[in-house]
Amino acid sequence: MNIPAVKVENLVKRYRELVALDHFNLQIEDGEIFGLLGPNGSGKTTTINCILSLLTYDKGSIEVFGKEMHPDSYDLKRQIGVVLQNVAVFDELTVCENIDYFCGLYIRDKAKRKQYVNEAIDFVELGDFRKFYPKKLSGGLLRRLNIACGIAHKPKLIFLDEPTVAVDPQSRNKILEGIQELNRQGATIIYTSHYMEEVEQLCTRIAIMDKGKNLAIGTKEELKQLIKKKEIVSIEILSIPEEDLTAIRELPHVYEVRFQNHQLQVLLNGGKHNLIRILNYLQSKELSFGRVYSEMPTLNDVFLEITGKELRD
Amino acid sequence: MMLFNSFFKIAKKRLPSLSIYFFIYVFISILLGTSSQKNIEANFQSKSLNICVIDEDNSKASAALTRYLGSIHNLKPLENNPDTLQDHLYYRDISYICTITKGFEEKLLSGESDEVYTCVKIPGSATGYFVDLQISQYTKLLTLFLSGGSSMPEAIEKTDPIISNTAGTESIVFQADTDAVRKEVFFHYQYLPYIFIVIFICGLAPLVITFHEKNIAARTNCSSTSLGSQNIQIVICCILYSLVVWLLFFLIGVFIYKTEMFHANALFAMLNSFAALLIAAALAFFISNFSINFNTANMISNILGLGLAFLCGVFVPQDMLSESVLKIARFLPSYWYIKANNMLGGLSSEAFSLSSFWKAFGIQLLFAAALVSAALALSRLNRQRKQ
Ligand SMILES: Nc1ncnc2c1ncn2[C@@H]1O[C@H](COP(=O)(O)OP(=O)(O)O)[C@@H](O)[C@H]1O
Ligand SMILES: [Mg+2]
């Protein structure tokens, strides 16, 4: 049995009356890209900060690589890289000097550090901006610098807390590709975000959290299995009589039918040939229709069903 | 030593915004150096003073002492009336009044040399002390010969040649010791509390704050560099920064005043400035607990620096401050700095005494210690609140 990279048990964290983490559990295996998905204020940052011993907590235990994590667990900290939610760089130091500083907190050897810094700069593709000061970088480049500062020392375990907030799509893709590359090179990644598309695209396993609780955990397929909705068919129709809607609701696997804005939505809980069956029915009633879509559920649907509210803010 | 390196890298990049204070200071310092050149010449010529001797004893001994003082100074015959004498002293017609009290000779004959005369001098005048010394030397020598068995005329005869031989040379030595150090040397030190406060609060505090900034500190605390090592590096940086600033201002002094900076009193002034340095550093350390930016630091430093400077007599002599202001000023460290510096440079009416210097110095150290303890308590409070 492999030792998990991170193991959090029954973590409780209070900010005065507010319970930010409520008996939170989490286990992250070596080699994963683990996604922590939840809306703003759900406790993602608090979780990360507790694991990193930046915050004290009220109850529970945290283990990293099988050892209990403390503020002075410097041998564990040596193997960890962090990219926190807020950009943390020195305005007075250049791109190169900033990466060198943060890398130097882990690596004393100058020659080795120089090599690592150069590799990190190449990795985030900031080669043309070595001598730039952070103030002169665009939002996306600044985020990339922030990431380079966190990973230059080649950590085995990397925490990234919403690294793509306020980033242009091009930089965002670069960042996501970079994270996958780090994972291929052997690092375990813990990634938090409130963008479900990102998490869906990137992560091998996902935990959905809200109000300090871990609501569901698994691969995206497993998560989608958890909910009733397995398929959603949308059809453009000018108008449809009420009795036809009732008839469609009686078709196999259909559990809900909505009609609004000339759009018919049929929610199904599994089965095959659902689309054909619905279209056949419409044709038999000689109802003309326009465009047709069939969609699989998203993590947003998972979140919606579990919590009863939208993930998007 | 990553923190250490970056600390000075950042300090270097912030230097331009600080250097303006530096140049203002050098400008003021040189301006003062040239404006009061006249004083110095006057001081150098004042070996021979206008003094008044009131002889109430009318004895051989009192006549001999009067004769001796007359051989060095200009004796001004004045009426023995306290009011007129005070007036003359006040208008600087005379710098010194020696009253040889009745029973002078008798007391000397009985071996007493205390309270045989009284003297009044212009407050704070260094040459006045020189007259004190001359009188006490003369009477001590007289009593020495009297106790050796000589009669009064014999003793006077023996004393006169000895004292006139030594007096000349000693007066030169004595004069070299105080008057050769120009007052400007002490003006150089006078403005340091203000400039230190500005340099430390605008320079050092924002630097420390940069490293304590929430996000940077979080990232640093995630690293394998221990908290202890971080703190030690920052403290070493602060100490080095302070020493560099201190040395810099001393070197400016050496550049302008040359060897005068190494005279005894000037060295005491340098020691005094070290206390001011500690206070400024402690103040910066205290302020670095609040996450303020450079502009706010600039504002605070000017309010604090100028406020302390005015209240404590950096710009206006302490002698001219009202009693109520001085009452408040006593609770401020700069007051004690200026008091000590005035004393050393003869800039006030207070005579130099080693004990009052150490007192002023010690009080400043206590202020610094209190500030550091307050800062430490505050940073502990801050850390607890963050969690
Ligand atoms: N320092 C703090 N003091 C008080 N409440 C806080 C503090 N930090 C976070 N919170 C609260 O804790 C909850 C979780 O916050 P956070 O972990 O930052 O969420 P997320 O990262 O998922 O957006 C929020 O309700 C937030 O308001
Ligand atoms: Mg967050």
Side-chain angles (χ1 to χ4, degrees):
Chain A
M1 182 72 202
N2 281 344
I3 298 168
V6 177
K7 190 170 168 187
V8 176
E9 278 181 334
N10 283 321
L11 190 61
V12 177
K13 167 70 189 172
R14 279 194 203 94
Y15 295 111
R16 286 179 229 277
E17 302 86 45
L18 183 103
V19 182
L21 292 177
D22 185 3
H23 295 86
F24 186 85
N25 288 293
L26 190 65
Q27 181 157 330
I28 297 164
E29 305 302 331
D30 226 356
E32 284 191 295
I33 302 184
F34 191 91
L36 208 51
L37 180 67
N40 281 328
S42 56
K44 303 182 295 293
T45 301
T46 304
T47 308
I48 300 285
N49 287 349
C50 284
I51 297 175
L52 292 169
S53 281
L54 290 175
L55 286 174
T56 55
Y57 44 89
D58 301 279
K59 228 178 102 181
S61 73
I62 294 171
E63 280 180 18
V64 174
F65 295 127
K67 285 185 200 141
E68 215 172 310
M69 184 73 178
H70 292 296
D72 55 356
S73 306
Y74 297 116
D75 50 336
L76 288 177
K77 286 184 174 181
R78 188 158 299 142
Q79 309 176 57
I80 298 175
V82 291
V83 179
L84 296 176
Q85 191 170 352
N86 300 317
V87 174
V89 292
F90 292 96
D91 287 338
E92 289 85 356
L93 298 182
T94 62
V95 165
C96 201
E97 288 168 338
N98 261 302
I99 302 175
D100 186 54
Y101 173 80
F102 290 108
C103 187
L105 294 175
Y106 299 86
I107 289 169
R108 295 264 169 87
D109 183 70
K110 250 193 169 155
K112 191 172 166 193
R113 196 165 74 224
K114 199 171 170 198
Q115 182 204 333
Y116 278 18
V117 169
N118 284 330
E119 284 174 18
I121 287 176
D122 291 342
F123 183 77
V124 294
E125 298 181 27
L126 282 176
D128 296 337
F129 304 94
R130 281 167 182 274
K131 292 271 178 303
F132 276 54
Y133 288 95
K135 283 249 157 67
K136 295 266 186 295
L137 297 177
S138 71
L141 295 181
L142 191 61
R143 283 279 166 182
R144 271 146 71 179
L145 168 62
N146 195 38
I147 292 172
C149 291
I151 54 116
H153 59 287
K154 299 196 186 295
K156 269 170 66 186
L157 176 63
I158 304 173
F159 291 85
L160 296 121
D161 193 3
E162 311 226 17
T164 58
V165 170
V167 163
D168 55 288
Q170 195 197 350
S171 275
R172 173 181 297 214
N173 283 336
K174 282 243 165 64
I175 290 171
L176 296 184
E177 280 164 27
I179 292 169
Q180 279 169 328
E181 177 57 30
L182 286 170
N183 181 247
R184 270 195 294 279
Q185 290 169 6
T188 304
I189 312 276
I190 295 159
Y191 185 93
T192 83
S193 179
H194 65 275
Y195 297 119
M196 54 161 189
E197 298 90 349
E198 265 182 11
V199 173
E200 208 167 339
Q201 178 188 342
L202 186 72
C203 300
T204 51
R205 240 157 40 95
I206 298 157
I208 294 182
M209 68 182 300
D210 188 37
K211 294 187 182 141
K213 284 201 172 88
N214 189 346
L215 299 177
I217 192 161
T219 63
K220 51 184 174 258
E221 292 77 18
E222 286 168 351
L223 288 174
K224 287 171 189 176
Q225 284 302 319
L226 288 177
I227 59 170
K228 195 156 82 177
K229 182 163 93 184
K230 296 291 161 7
E231 191 179 351
I232 175 163
V233 174
S234 310
I235 302 165
E236 281 178 6
I237 298 179
L238 268 177
S239 68
I240 185 166
E242 193 60 39
E243 67 256 30
D244 287 320
L245 288 180
T246 319
I248 292 172
R249 197 168 287 130
E250 299 305 317
L251 292 175
H253 306 297
V254 174
Y255 72 91
E256 199 182 328
V257 177
R258 302 180 198 138
F259 183 74
Q260 46 179 269
N261 298 330
H262 312 297
Q263 183 98 5
L264 175 72
Q265 285 197 323
V266 183
L267 281 61
L268 301 122
N269 57 11
K272 283 177 180 162
H273 316 299
N274 291 325
L275 184 60
I276 298 290
R277 202 177 295 121
I278 295 166
L279 293 183
N280 282 342
Y281 176 83
L282 292 176
Q283 264 176 342
S284 71
K285 296 284 171 183
E286 293 184 341
L287 288 161
S288 61
F289 52 88
R291 276 182 253 190
V292 175
Y293 323 84
S294 166
E295 290 167 308
M296 304 307 280
T298 61
L299 287 176
N300 189 42
D301 296 314
V302 177
F303 191 80
L304 183 67
E305 250 195 68
I306 295 176
T307 66
K309 64 181 185 193
E310 295 269 340
L311 178 55
R312 297 165 206 271
D313 30 26
Chain B
M1 293 310 266
M2 220 46 224
L3 264 83
F4 185 87
N5 292 341
S6 300
F7 188 97
F8 285 103
K9 229 183 247 169
I10 295 172
K12 215 167 69 190
K13 288 181 183 167
R14 290 203 181 152
L15 207 58
S17 51
L18 268 189
S19 52
I20 177 85
Y21 288 102
F22 189 76
F23 288 119
I24 290 175
Y25 173 76
V26 173
F27 179 72
I28 292 179
S29 205
I30 290 176
L31 201 72
L32 280 167
T34 48
S35 71
S36 42
Q37 211 86 48
K38 283 168 250 115
N39 288 349
I40 318 156
E41 282 150 27
N43 279 342
F44 273 112
Q45 287 167 353
S46 61
K47 270 191 237 167
S48 184
L49 304 175
N50 291 331
I51 69 171
C52 171
V53 179
I54 308 287
D55 187 355
E56 289 176 348
D57 197 37
N58 279 320
S59 57
K60 281 200 188 87
S62 66
L65 177 59
T66 312
R67 199 167 58 239
Y68 164 64
L69 289 174
S71 71
I72 307 169
H73 303 290
N74 308 321
L75 295 189
K76 293 254 170 159
L78 291 172
E79 191 190 335
N80 186 6
N81 173 335
D83 287 341
T84 42
L85 285 175
Q86 275 299 337
D87 282 350
H88 283 290
L89 201 59
Y90 184 78
Y91 292 111
R92 304 288 194 268
D93 292 340
I94 50 171
S95 331
Y96 198 96
I97 304 164
C98 175
T99 310
I100 305 172
T101 39
K102 196 146 186 66
F104 176 67
E105 187 174 290
E106 266 174 46
K107 280 191 175 170
L108 287 185
L109 282 169
S110 65
E112 263 181 75
S113 61
D114 292 335
E115 291 176 26
V116 287
Y117 54 87
T118 58
C119 349
V120 186
K121 55 186 169 280
I122 293 175
S125 132
T127 32
Y129 292 103
F130 181 46
V131 184
D132 286 346
L133 195 75
Q134 289 166 333
I135 298 173
S136 91
Q137 262 186 341
Y138 192 86
T139 50
K140 287 229 169 78
L141 267 174
L142 264 185
T143 40
L144 197 71
F145 286 122
L146 289 172
S147 65
S150 307
S151 68
M152 182 55 83
E154 281 169 358
I156 292 169
E157 220 167 288
K158 283 175 187 164
T159 302
D160 276 344
I162 298 173
I163 200 102
S164 59
N165 274 344
T166 54
T169 52
E170 252 191 306
S171 95
I172 288 159
V173 172
F174 191 84
Q175 297 253 329
D177 237 18
T178 54
D179 288 5
V181 185
R182 283 183 280 160
K183 286 208 172 22
E184 289 68 43
V185 173
F186 299 94
F187 281 129
H188 172 79
Y189 284 110
Q190 190 92 335
Y191 296 93
L192 281 185
Y194 169 63
I195 217 75
F196 277 165
I197 283 174
V198 170
I199 285 190
F200 278 85
I201 294 180
C202 290
L204 188 62
L207 266 174
V208 177
I209 288 168
T210 307
F211 283 84
H212 287 166
E213 192 269 329
K214 202 172 111 253
N215 297 318
I216 300 256
R219 181 166 245 165
T220 311
N221 288 338
C222 287
S223 76
S224 55
T225 300
S226 72
L227 201 64
S229 160
Q230 289 174 35
N231 287 339
I232 287 171
Q233 289 185 52
I234 291 284
V235 167
I236 293 176
C237 287
C238 292
I239 291 173
L240 268 180
Y241 185 100
S242 310
L243 288 180
V244 166
V245 170
W246 193 41
L247 206 67
L248 196 69
F249 281 97
F250 183 68
L251 289 180
I252 293 173
V254 172
F255 179 74
I256 302 176
Y257 304 108
K258 313 275 175 330
T259 54
E260 288 172 55
M261 289 295 279
F262 297 97
H263 273 279
N265 278 15
L267 287 176
F268 272 121
M270 186 187 177
L271 190 64
N272 194 29
S273 75
F274 184 69
L277 182 89
L278 287 181
I279 284 165
L283 211 54
F285 187 51
F286 182 80
I287 284 173
S288 68
N289 280 302
F290 304 94
S291 49
I292 52 171
N293 59 19
F294 177 81
N295 290 333
T296 318
N298 200 351
M299 201 181 71
I300 293 176
S301 70
N302 277 310
I303 291 173
L304 262 179
L306 286 174
L308 284 176
F310 277 114
L311 275 177
C312 302
V314 173
F315 299 131
V316 183
Q318 277 182 348
D319 286 350
M320 280 165 69
L321 292 174
S322 75
E323 196 50 43
S324 53
V325 170
L326 286 177
K327 247 181 216 149
I328 302 168
R330 249 175 277 264
F331 294 100
L332 301 169
S334 303
Y335 169 83
W336 298 97
Y337 175 85
I338 299 296
K339 193 172 149 77
N341 193 53
N342 284 342
M343 208 163 73
L344 288 165
L347 305 177
S348 70
S349 55
E350 195 177 1
F352 174 70
S353 91
L354 210 53
S355 65
S356 44
F357 172 80
W358 288 126
K359 182 181 155 201
F361 186 74
I363 288 173
Q364 291 182 74
L365 292 191
L366 286 180
F367 270 111
L371 275 170
V372 168
S373 329
L376 285 175
L378 200 63
S379 80
R380 188 165 310 149
L381 210 72
N382 266 346
R383 205 168 309 147
Q384 276 169 359
R385 211 174 38 202
K386 253 183 232 155
Q387 306 197 331

